[in-house]
PDB file of all heavy atoms in Angstrom:
ATOM      1  N   ASP T 445      -0.791  -5.248  20.380  1.00 88.00           N
ATOM      2  CA  ASP T 445      -0.473  -6.456  21.143  1.00 88.00           C
ATOM      3  C   ASP T 445       0.387  -6.142  22.358  1.00 88.00           C
ATOM      4  O   ASP T 445       0.371  -6.881  23.354  1.00 88.00           O
ATOM      5  CB  ASP T 445       0.259  -7.482  20.255  1.00 88.00           C
ATOM      6  CG  ASP T 445      -0.647  -8.068  19.181  1.00 88.00           C
ATOM      7  OD1 ASP T 445      -1.881  -7.960  19.329  1.00 88.00           O
ATOM      8  OD2 ASP T 445      -0.125  -8.617  18.200  1.00 88.00           O
ATOM      9  N   CYS T 446       1.127  -5.053  22.293  1.00 92.00           N
ATOM     10  CA  CYS T 446       1.994  -4.670  23.405  1.00 92.00           C
ATOM     11  C   CYS T 446       1.188  -4.289  24.651  1.00 92.00           C
ATOM     12  O   CYS T 446       1.701  -4.379  25.768  1.00 92.00           O
ATOM     13  CB  CYS T 446       2.896  -3.509  23.006  1.00 92.00           C
ATOM     14  SG  CYS T 446       4.105  -3.913  21.720  1.00 92.00           S
ATOM     15  N   GLU T 447      -0.065  -3.863  24.475  1.00 90.00           N
ATOM     16  CA  GLU T 447      -0.909  -3.546  25.620  1.00 90.00           C
ATOM     17  C   GLU T 447      -1.066  -4.766  26.523  1.00 90.00           C
ATOM     18  O   GLU T 447      -0.906  -4.686  27.744  1.00 90.00           O
ATOM     19  CB  GLU T 447      -2.287  -3.067  25.159  1.00 90.00           C
ATOM     20  CG  GLU T 447      -2.288  -1.762  24.398  1.00 90.00           C
ATOM     21  CD  GLU T 447      -3.654  -1.449  23.834  1.00 90.00           C
ATOM     22  OE1 GLU T 447      -4.653  -2.074  24.297  1.00 90.00           O
ATOM     23  OE2 GLU T 447      -3.766  -0.599  22.940  1.00 90.00           O
ATOM     24  N   GLU T 448      -1.408  -5.900  25.915  1.00 89.00           N
ATOM     25  CA  GLU T 448      -1.591  -7.136  26.668  1.00 89.00           C
ATOM     26  C   GLU T 448      -0.278  -7.595  27.286  1.00 89.00           C
ATOM     27  O   GLU T 448      -0.256  -8.105  28.408  1.00 89.00           O
ATOM     28  CB  GLU T 448      -2.151  -8.229  25.749  1.00 89.00           C
ATOM     29  CG  GLU T 448      -3.513  -7.911  25.153  1.00 89.00           C
ATOM     30  CD  GLU T 448      -4.630  -7.994  26.177  1.00 89.00           C
ATOM     31  OE1 GLU T 448      -4.374  -8.463  27.308  1.00 89.00           O
ATOM     32  OE2 GLU T 448      -5.751  -7.570  25.848  1.00 89.00           O
ATOM     33  N   GLN T 449       0.820  -7.414  26.539  1.00 92.00           N
ATOM     34  CA  GLN T 449       2.119  -7.826  27.058  1.00 92.00           C
ATOM     35  C   GLN T 449       2.490  -7.016  28.307  1.00 92.00           C
ATOM     36  O   GLN T 449       2.992  -7.562  29.289  1.00 92.00           O
ATOM     37  CB  GLN T 449       3.194  -7.673  25.978  1.00 92.00           C
ATOM     38  CG  GLN T 449       4.529  -8.289  26.345  1.00 92.00           C
ATOM     39  CD  GLN T 449       5.554  -8.171  25.223  1.00 92.00           C
ATOM     40  OE1 GLN T 449       5.259  -7.669  24.131  1.00 92.00           O
ATOM     41  NE2 GLN T 449       6.763  -8.637  25.489  1.00 92.00           N
ATOM     42  N   LEU T 450       2.224  -5.718  28.266  1.00 94.00           N
ATOM     43  CA  LEU T 450       2.487  -4.870  29.431  1.00 94.00           C
ATOM     44  C   LEU T 450       1.604  -5.270  30.612  1.00 94.00           C
ATOM     45  O   LEU T 450       2.081  -5.372  31.750  1.00 94.00           O
ATOM     46  CB  LEU T 450       2.261  -3.402  29.082  1.00 94.00           C
ATOM     47  CG  LEU T 450       3.312  -2.737  28.192  1.00 94.00           C
ATOM     48  CD1 LEU T 450       2.796  -1.402  27.673  1.00 94.00           C
ATOM     49  CD2 LEU T 450       4.621  -2.534  28.956  1.00 94.00           C
ATOM     50  N   GLN T 451       0.327  -5.494  30.336  1.00 90.00           N
ATOM     51  CA  GLN T 451      -0.587  -5.862  31.419  1.00 90.00           C
ATOM     52  C   GLN T 451      -0.187  -7.192  32.041  1.00 90.00           C
ATOM     53  O   GLN T 451      -0.226  -7.348  33.271  1.00 90.00           O
ATOM     54  CB  GLN T 451      -2.022  -5.931  30.887  1.00 90.00           C
ATOM     55  CG  GLN T 451      -3.041  -6.294  31.956  1.00 90.00           C
ATOM     56  CD  GLN T 451      -4.356  -5.575  31.796  1.00 90.00           C
ATOM     57  OE1 GLN T 451      -4.389  -4.352  31.657  1.00 90.00           O
ATOM     58  NE2 GLN T 451      -5.440  -6.313  31.805  1.00 90.00           N
ATOM     59  N   SER T 452       0.219  -8.146  31.205  1.00 91.00           N
ATOM     60  CA  SER T 452       0.642  -9.452  31.716  1.00 91.00           C
ATOM     61  C   SER T 452       1.886  -9.332  32.585  1.00 91.00           C
ATOM     62  O   SER T 452       2.085 -10.131  33.513  1.00 91.00           O
ATOM     63  CB  SER T 452       0.914 -10.420  30.556  1.00 91.00           C
ATOM     64  OG  SER T 452      -0.260 -10.658  29.810  1.00 91.00           O
ATOM     65  N   ALA T 453       2.723  -8.325  32.277  1.00 94.00           N
ATOM     66  CA  ALA T 453       3.943  -8.108  33.057  1.00 94.00           C
ATOM     67  C   ALA T 453       3.691  -7.268  34.306  1.00 94.00           C
ATOM     68  O   ALA T 453       4.626  -6.971  35.052  1.00 94.00           O
ATOM     69  CB  ALA T 453       4.994  -7.428  32.182  1.00 94.00           C
ATOM     70  N   GLY T 454       2.431  -6.884  34.536  1.00 93.00           N
ATOM     71  CA  GLY T 454       2.105  -6.078  35.706  1.00 93.00           C
ATOM     72  C   GLY T 454       2.506  -4.622  35.577  1.00 93.00           C
ATOM     73  O   GLY T 454       2.692  -3.926  36.583  1.00 93.00           O
ATOM     74  N   ILE T 455       2.628  -4.137  34.318  1.00 95.00           N
ATOM     75  CA  ILE T 455       3.026  -2.753  34.058  1.00 95.00           C
ATOM     76  C   ILE T 455       1.796  -1.967  33.618  1.00 95.00           C
ATOM     77  O   ILE T 455       1.095  -2.356  32.680  1.00 95.00           O
ATOM     78  CB  ILE T 455       4.111  -2.683  32.972  1.00 95.00           C
ATOM     79  CG1 ILE T 455       5.353  -3.458  33.419  1.00 95.00           C
ATOM     80  CG2 ILE T 455       4.476  -1.238  32.661  1.00 95.00           C
ATOM     81  CD1 ILE T 455       6.361  -3.689  32.311  1.00 95.00           C
ATOM     82  N   LEU T 456       1.547  -0.862  34.288  1.00 95.00           N
ATOM     83  CA  LEU T 456       0.405  -0.020  33.962  1.00 95.00           C
ATOM     84  C   LEU T 456       0.830   1.007  32.917  1.00 95.00           C
ATOM     85  O   LEU T 456       1.716   1.828  33.173  1.00 95.00           O
ATOM     86  CB  LEU T 456      -0.102   0.668  35.228  1.00 95.00           C
ATOM     87  CG  LEU T 456      -1.412   1.440  35.161  1.00 95.00           C
ATOM     88  CD1 LEU T 456      -2.025   1.539  36.552  1.00 95.00           C
ATOM     89  CD2 LEU T 456      -1.218   2.838  34.598  1.00 95.00           C
ATOM     90  N   TRP T 457       0.190   0.959  31.749  1.00 95.00           N
ATOM     91  CA  TRP T 457       0.490   1.919  30.683  1.00 95.00           C
ATOM     92  C   TRP T 457      -0.644   2.921  30.568  1.00 95.00           C
ATOM     93  O   TRP T 457      -1.800   2.554  30.342  1.00 95.00           O
ATOM     94  CB  TRP T 457       0.678   1.206  29.343  1.00 95.00           C
ATOM     95  CG  TRP T 457       0.935   2.155  28.201  1.00 95.00           C
ATOM     96  CD1 TRP T 457       1.963   3.037  28.082  1.00 95.00           C
ATOM     97  CD2 TRP T 457       0.131   2.323  27.015  1.00 95.00           C
ATOM     98  NE1 TRP T 457       1.863   3.744  26.903  1.00 95.00           N
ATOM     99  CE2 TRP T 457       0.757   3.335  26.224  1.00 95.00           C
ATOM    100  CE3 TRP T 457      -1.033   1.724  26.537  1.00 95.00           C
ATOM    101  CZ2 TRP T 457       0.238   3.740  24.997  1.00 95.00           C
ATOM    102  CZ3 TRP T 457      -1.554   2.130  25.317  1.00 95.00           C
ATOM    103  CH2 TRP T 457      -0.913   3.126  24.558  1.00 95.00           C
ATOM    104  N   VAL T 458      -0.309   4.192  30.753  1.00 95.00           N
ATOM    105  CA  VAL T 458      -1.283   5.259  30.519  1.00 95.00           C
ATOM    106  C   VAL T 458      -1.206   5.617  29.039  1.00 95.00           C
ATOM    107  O   VAL T 458      -0.152   6.054  28.562  1.00 95.00           O
ATOM    108  CB  VAL T 458      -0.976   6.502  31.373  1.00 95.00           C
ATOM    109  CG1 VAL T 458      -1.991   7.604  31.091  1.00 95.00           C
ATOM    110  CG2 VAL T 458      -0.970   6.140  32.859  1.00 95.00           C
ATOM    111  N   PRO T 459      -2.277   5.413  28.269  1.00 94.00           N
ATOM    112  CA  PRO T 459      -2.219   5.663  26.833  1.00 94.00           C
ATOM    113  C   PRO T 459      -1.664   7.040  26.506  1.00 94.00           C
ATOM    114  O   PRO T 459      -2.070   8.046  27.096  1.00 94.00           O
ATOM    115  CB  PRO T 459      -3.681   5.532  26.391  1.00 94.00           C
ATOM    116  CG  PRO T 459      -4.280   4.593  27.396  1.00 94.00           C
ATOM    117  CD  PRO T 459      -3.601   4.918  28.689  1.00 94.00           C
ATOM    118  N   ASP T 460      -0.725   7.078  25.566  1.00 94.00           N
ATOM    119  CA  ASP T 460      -0.057   8.337  25.232  1.00 94.00           C
ATOM    120  C   ASP T 460      -1.029   9.406  24.779  1.00 94.00           C
ATOM    121  O   ASP T 460      -0.884  10.578  25.123  1.00 94.00           O
ATOM    122  CB  ASP T 460       1.044   8.110  24.183  1.00 94.00           C
ATOM    123  CG  ASP T 460       0.613   7.185  23.060  1.00 94.00           C
ATOM    124  OD1 ASP T 460      -0.539   7.300  22.595  1.00 94.00           O
ATOM    125  OD2 ASP T 460       1.427   6.337  22.660  1.00 94.00           O
ATOM    126  N   TYR T 461      -2.051   9.011  24.015  1.00 93.00           N
ATOM    127  CA  TYR T 461      -2.962  10.015  23.470  1.00 93.00           C
ATOM    128  C   TYR T 461      -3.873  10.609  24.535  1.00 93.00           C
ATOM    129  O   TYR T 461      -4.529  11.626  24.292  1.00 93.00           O
ATOM    130  CB  TYR T 461      -3.787   9.433  22.310  1.00 93.00           C
ATOM    131  CG  TYR T 461      -4.607   8.201  22.656  1.00 93.00           C
ATOM    132  CD1 TYR T 461      -5.868   8.304  23.218  1.00 93.00           C
ATOM    133  CD2 TYR T 461      -4.115   6.928  22.390  1.00 93.00           C
ATOM    134  CE1 TYR T 461      -6.614   7.184  23.511  1.00 93.00           C
ATOM    135  CE2 TYR T 461      -4.850   5.793  22.688  1.00 93.00           C
ATOM    136  CZ  TYR T 461      -6.097   5.922  23.249  1.00 93.00           C
ATOM    137  OH  TYR T 461      -6.829   4.797  23.545  1.00 93.00           O
ATOM    138  N   VAL T 462      -3.915  10.002  25.709  1.00 95.00           N
ATOM    139  CA  VAL T 462      -4.620  10.598  26.843  1.00 95.00           C
ATOM    140  C   VAL T 462      -3.671  11.506  27.623  1.00 95.00           C
ATOM    141  O   VAL T 462      -3.976  12.665  27.914  1.00 95.00           O
ATOM    142  CB  VAL T 462      -5.189   9.505  27.774  1.00 95.00           C
ATOM    143  CG1 VAL T 462      -5.817  10.138  29.021  1.00 95.00           C
ATOM    144  CG2 VAL T 462      -6.218   8.660  27.040  1.00 95.00           C
ATOM    145  N   ALA T 463      -2.490  10.986  27.939  1.00 96.00           N
ATOM    146  CA  ALA T 463      -1.550  11.717  28.792  1.00 96.00           C
ATOM    147  C   ALA T 463      -0.973  12.960  28.129  1.00 96.00           C
ATOM    148  O   ALA T 463      -0.723  13.967  28.798  1.00 96.00           O
ATOM    149  CB  ALA T 463      -0.412  10.788  29.219  1.00 96.00           C
TER     150      ALA T 463
END
Side-chain angles (χ1 to χ4, degrees):
D445 291 342
C446 294
E447 295 173 17
E448 298 288 351
Q449 190 177 357
L450 287 167
Q451 181 143 309
S452 297
I455 300 168
L456 189 156
W457 178 60
V458 179
D460 43 41
Y461 57 85
V462 175

